[in-house]
Amino acid sequence: MTIPDVTVPEGVRGASPEVGPRREKKATLPSINVASKATQAEVHLPDLPESTPVQVAKVKSHAGTTSNRPAEEPPASAPPKATAPAKAAPARMSRRAWVWVCAGALWAACIPVAVIALRKQQQGEEPTSNVPLEEELIQLANQARLDNGLPVLREDQALNAVARAHAERMARDKKLAFPEAIWLEQKLHTSGYPFMMWGMAIDLVHDMSLPDAFKNWVQVPQTGDEVLNQYYADLGAGVYRDTTTGALFVVLVFGKRKLPKKRSE
């Protein structure tokens, strides 16, 4: 390549010399086909097990398109420091609660008393003896003997105790029945009555006066035979009232003491 000569005019200094026409070399570049539209960049994720959840966030790729990739997990925060639990203040019971507690204790104490009272009311009060009726009964028996030409019987306290014991027994059981012979004889011995012979008559008097009941009672063969027995010498009576029904359990005990043995000379 040859460079032509350049002539610089006089008086002009510092000016650039004229340069003749020269050929400009154009740089040739390889042609590049640029797509008019951006393509979707493909991001390949590693294979993960099905049970592992993946958080996917949309981010921009270098090509200006969006792509899916796992989001970065935030840094784990430090666990909070354990603090000692504060001591709870002791609970105080209010005045109303104290009233209810005292009322409950009082109610619990009254329940046994109420139960006992209810049982007594259902069962009735204890049967009671009636001494005036016992004396009246002895008089009626002796009057019947006098009317039949027989001597009166002497009242014996030991026989009274036996008659009262059986009358009370029937009133408690609410049943009219003769006692066992062995029971009656043991009662006679413990009462201090050494008997040679003994007998008993019982009756239940209800809705009737004692004299009227005695008249009917004597007409019964077994009772009449005991009242009018000529071999008896002593008599005891017992009358107990059933407080539930008001009925009278009446008992007459007859007897003759055993004579003491004579000393041999």
Side-chain angles (χ1 to χ4, degrees):
M1 179 178 178
T2 60
I3 300 174
D5 296 332
V6 177
T7 303
V8 178
E10 294 180 0
V12 179
R13 292 181 181 180
S16 60
E18 294 180 0
V19 180
R22 58 181 179 181
R23 297 178 180 178
E24 295 178 358
K25 292 183 179 182
K26 297 182 178 179
T28 60
L29 298 175
S31 60
I32 300 174
N33 296 326
V34 180
S36 60
K37 295 182 179 180
T39 59
Q40 181 75 24
E42 296 181 358
V43 179
H44 297 281
L45 299 177
D47 296 336
L48 297 176
E50 296 180 357
S51 60
T52 304
V54 177
Q55 296 180 355
V56 178
K58 290 186 177 182
V59 297
K60 279 194 174 183
S61 65
H62 295 286
T65 61
T66 58
S67 63
N68 297 333
R69 68 178 183 182
E72 296 181 358
E73 296 182 357
S77 58
K81 295 182 179 181
T83 58
K87 294 183 179 180
R92 298 182 63 182
M93 190 175 295
S94 63
R95 182 178 299 177
R96 181 176 296 180
W98 273 111
V99 171
W100 280 108
V101 169
C102 295
L106 182 62
W107 176 257
C110 292
I111 287 177
V113 178
V115 171
I116 294 174
L118 181 60
R119 288 181 178 177
K120 285 186 177 181
Q121 184 178 1
Q122 293 176 350
Q123 297 176 357
E125 297 178 359
E126 294 293 327
T128 57
S129 61
N130 196 321
V131 176
L133 290 180
E134 293 173 356
E135 294 177 354
E136 183 179 1
L137 184 60
I138 292 175
Q139 292 176 3
L140 291 172
N142 283 329
Q143 187 62 42
R145 290 178 64 88
L146 288 174
D147 294 342
N148 288 272
L150 296 173
V152 297
L153 301 177
R154 183 179 64 255
E155 182 179 359
D156 191 281
Q157 294 301 324
L159 296 181
N160 281 339
V162 176
R164 288 169 184 166
H166 186 57
E168 181 182 7
R169 184 182 182 186
M170 290 191 298
R172 289 183 181 277
D173 297 340
K174 303 183 184 301
K175 182 180 180 181
L176 186 68
F178 283 97
E180 301 84 359
I182 187 172
W183 180 88
L184 182 58
E185 291 179 357
Q186 288 178 355
K187 284 291 183 181
L188 290 172
H189 283 299
T190 55
S191 299
Y193 188 86
F195 63 90
M196 180 184 294
M197 56 187 303
W198 59 265
M200 177 180 284
I202 61 175
D203 193 15
L204 178 62
V205 180
H206 195 14
D207 296 335
M208 187 180 297
S209 64
L210 189 58
D212 294 339
F214 187 81
K215 290 179 182 179
N216 298 330
W217 192 19
V218 175
Q219 293 177 4
V220 177
Q222 184 177 359
T223 304
D225 293 343
E226 295 295 333
V227 173
L228 301 177
N229 191 324
Q230 60 179 344
Y231 298 106
Y232 291 140
D234 304 320
L235 176 63
V239 178
Y240 262 79
R241 184 185 298 276
D242 183 3
T243 56
T244 304
T245 61
L248 295 176
F249 289 89
V250 180
V251 178
L252 284 175
V253 178
F254 307 92
K256 186 176 182 179
R257 287 181 177 270
K258 185 185 295 185
L259 297 175
K261 294 182 179 179
K262 295 182 179 180
R263 296 181 179 178
S264 59
E265 296 179 356

